[in-house]
Every structure is written in structure tokens, then in C-alpha cells.
Amino acid sequence: MFEAVAFYLFAFLTIAMFYITVTTSQALYALTALAAGMIFISAFFFILGADFLGAIQIVVYSGAVMALYSFGMMFFDTTREVKERQGNSAVVLGLSIISAILVVVIFATPIISDNITALYPVTEGAGNTQEVGMVLFTKYLVPFELAAVMLLVAMVAGIVLAGKKMDLSLTLMKEHEIRMMREEDKNKKVLS
Amino acid sequence: MMEIGLNHYLVLSTILFSIGLVGVMRRKNLLMLFFATEILLNSVNISFAAISHYYGDLTGQMFAFFVIAIAASEVAVGLGLLIVWHKKHNNIDLDNMSTMRG
């Protein structure tokens, strides 16, 4: 009973939030709606008994990813309205319905054939975090390490790409120094 | 109706996935495109966790973890590239990125 009520409530909330994210023309509304949707999705993980996954969802998505997006949005002009692509909306709608049906078929095919057996069954008397640890550090150890290296590479790439000229601070520089820097930039653009 | 089964979660995941697909197809701003991509990844995560729960198997949750890790690194690299593009061209619209069309 409670499970059903929680499921329908959070399903409605998640769909509403993501619909706002997709349709709004304000970038800040989209960002906040996306963050709320992520939190509501973690509720599904808690209902399903995947406590560790739910905690990770909150920490990574509404913590790290949202902070990254909001820092990134400081670089962009977010106050102006987002322009939409002028396209045939019927084609877009039809295409997305077709692809959604395809996805359902892809996901449902292995379920309909009843050959699935649990490879890593849930251990009795252990919490979800403990079970995740046991499977993650035995069978999935190599992908885990690879994911760690991939995150390191992504961090280095992010710093290198976004961190150019970040050692200069416009507030600490004198007026003529800033003007000289601007002119140098302009000359570089003309040359390139 | 009151008993929540695996199909309920799969239908919800499909609805969220199609919302994300609509977003990917109709958005022109690249930052909005990234948001739609996050929606796609999250909808897949829901179905992974649901299948993991209803079959008593932890593999689904493992894949959900790796999907989250990939999403985080994608955001880091993508936003870095987006900032570089914005510094150079002063906008992040998709239509201006057609220099390689030939």
C-alpha cells in the first residue's frame, strides 16, 4: 500500500520535473528542475532496496554534477531566452515514440524468455551496502579500477580545458593591464 | 493496481526516456542538450535497479554504478569543451557548430 502510494507520487513528481527541464526556455529553471528530478529518482532506489545506489545518486548527481553545471553556467549567458530549433514537431514526436517502443522491446525481450538466473544472488542477513561491496570488490574489481582511472582522466581534462587563463584575476589587475590583455586577444583572433 | 511490479518501473523508465529523447531532438542550446542526456542516463538507471530488485541479482546495481561514473566524467569533459567553445565563439548554439560539414 505504502509502496504503491510512494511509487505513484514520485513517478508523477519525476515526470513533471523532467518535463519542465525539457520544455522551459529559462536555463536556471531547467537546472533546478533537473536537480529536483535527480533527488526524486533516488527515492525509487530507496523503495527498491538499493540504499547505497540511492545515496550515491544524491551525492553524485545533486551534489557533484549539479555543482559542475552551476559553475559552468557562470561562464555562459544564461539570462537570455534559449532559442528553440524550428522543426516539424510531428516528425519529432513520431520519431521519439518509435524509438521509445524500440527501447521497450529491447528491454522486454530477455525478460519474456525465462532463462534468466541470478548470477550474484542477494546474500541473506547482509545489508545492501555490504552486498554491493562484496560483489564490487570481487567480480567487478577490474571495471572498478578502470572507472577510477577514467574519472582521473576526466578530472585532468576538465582542469586543462576550463582552467586556461585562470591564474589571471580581473579584480586584482590594473585598468591598463586589462586593456592590454584584451588587445592581445583581439590580435590573436585576427591572426588565427 | 496496488501491487507494484517490474512492469510499472519499466513503463516509468520508458516515459522518462522518451521525455529525454524529445529534449535531445528539440533543443538547440548545447547546455540544454546535456540536461536531456542526464535524463536519458537516469531513466536507464531506474530500470537497472528495478530489474536488480525483482530478480534478486546485484548485477543491475553494479551497472547502474558504472553508468553514474561515466555520466560524471562525461559532464566534466563536456563542460570543459563547452567553456572553451564559448570563450572562442561567444555562443553555444548547435547551428553554429557546422564548420566540419564540408
Side-chain angles (χ1 to χ4, degrees):
Chain A
M1 177 65 198
F2 278 123
E3 193 195 354
V5 169
F7 176 81
Y8 285 116
L9 175 70
F10 283 113
F12 172 73
L13 281 174
T14 317
I15 291 170
M17 285 303 146
F18 283 163
Y19 182 75
I20 291 172
T21 308
V22 166
T23 53
T24 184
S25 62
Q26 300 275 339
L28 278 176
Y29 288 172
L31 183 76
T32 40
L34 186 66
M38 301 293 181
I39 299 258
F40 293 141
I41 277 186
S42 77
F44 290 117
F45 295 151
F46 288 123
I47 295 172
L48 286 168
D51 300 342
F52 191 67
L53 191 59
I56 289 288
Q57 169 88 10
I58 290 179
V59 168
V60 170
Y61 269 113
S62 39
V65 171
M66 282 304 130
L68 251 175
Y69 273 131
S70 43
F71 272 106
M73 278 170 87
M74 286 185 211
F75 288 90
F76 309 129
D77 187 12
T78 50
T79 47
R80 85 194 151 109
E81 295 240 319
V82 178
K83 278 179 288 178
E84 294 302 338
R85 185 182 295 163
Q86 298 296 324
N88 193 346
S89 57
V91 171
V92 170
L93 198 68
L95 267 176
S96 27
I97 290 172
I98 289 169
S99 20
I101 291 169
L102 259 178
V103 169
V104 172
V105 170
I106 289 165
F107 269 111
T109 313
I111 293 169
I112 293 167
S113 66
D114 286 324
N115 297 325
I116 298 176
T117 51
L119 283 174
Y120 302 100
V122 176
T123 326
E124 289 297 322
N128 177 255
T129 314
Q130 204 177 345
E131 289 165 10
V132 166
M134 282 194 284
V135 177
L136 191 62
F137 289 109
T138 52
K139 176 72 180 175
Y140 290 96
L141 186 61
V142 176
F144 177 76
E145 299 288 343
L146 280 178
V149 172
M150 186 186 66
L151 281 171
L152 178 71
V153 169
M155 187 185 76
V156 172
I159 292 170
V160 167
L161 285 173
K164 273 176 195 161
K165 283 196 185 168
M166 287 230 175
D167 49 337
L168 300 175
S169 164
L170 285 179
T171 50
L172 292 178
M173 286 161 77
K174 296 278 182 321
E175 195 66 33
H176 65 274
E177 284 177 338
I178 295 174
R179 213 173 298 136
M180 268 171 60
M181 197 182 77
R182 292 259 161 81
E183 272 169 21
E184 271 176 26
D185 280 358
K186 222 175 273 169
N187 290 341
K188 261 185 214 159
K189 259 183 199 166
V190 169
L191 286 175
S192 63
Chain B
M1 180 69 186
M2 294 316 279
E3 199 67 32
I4 300 297
L6 178 57
N7 284 332
H8 286 74
Y9 283 99
L10 287 181
V11 167
L12 171 74
S13 155
T14 313
I15 290 170
L16 293 181
F17 196 87
S18 31
I19 287 176
L21 270 182
V22 170
V24 166
M25 283 186 218
R26 69 184 283 270
R27 285 296 194 187
K28 207 169 76 170
N29 189 309
L30 241 129
L31 196 65
M32 297 292 151
L33 219 75
F34 273 30
F35 289 172
T37 318
E38 299 296 326
I39 296 175
L40 295 181
L41 290 169
N42 266 294
S43 70
V44 174
N45 268 356
I46 289 181
S47 58
F48 271 140
I51 289 171
S52 157
H53 178 252
Y54 283 102
Y55 280 88
D57 191 345
L58 279 172
T59 315
Q61 289 185 33
M62 293 301 125
F63 273 87
F65 284 126
F66 292 124
V67 167
I68 287 179
I70 286 168
S73 46
E74 171 250 328
V75 167
V77 176
L79 264 180
L81 288 172
L82 217 59
I83 287 169
V84 171
W85 182 270
H86 187 264
K87 272 180 185 166
K88 206 171 174 184
H89 298 267
N90 226 355
N91 66 4
I92 45 172
D93 287 346
L94 259 183
D95 294 352
N96 302 42
M97 298 190 185
S98 52
T99 49
M100 281 168 75
R101 193 183 282 159

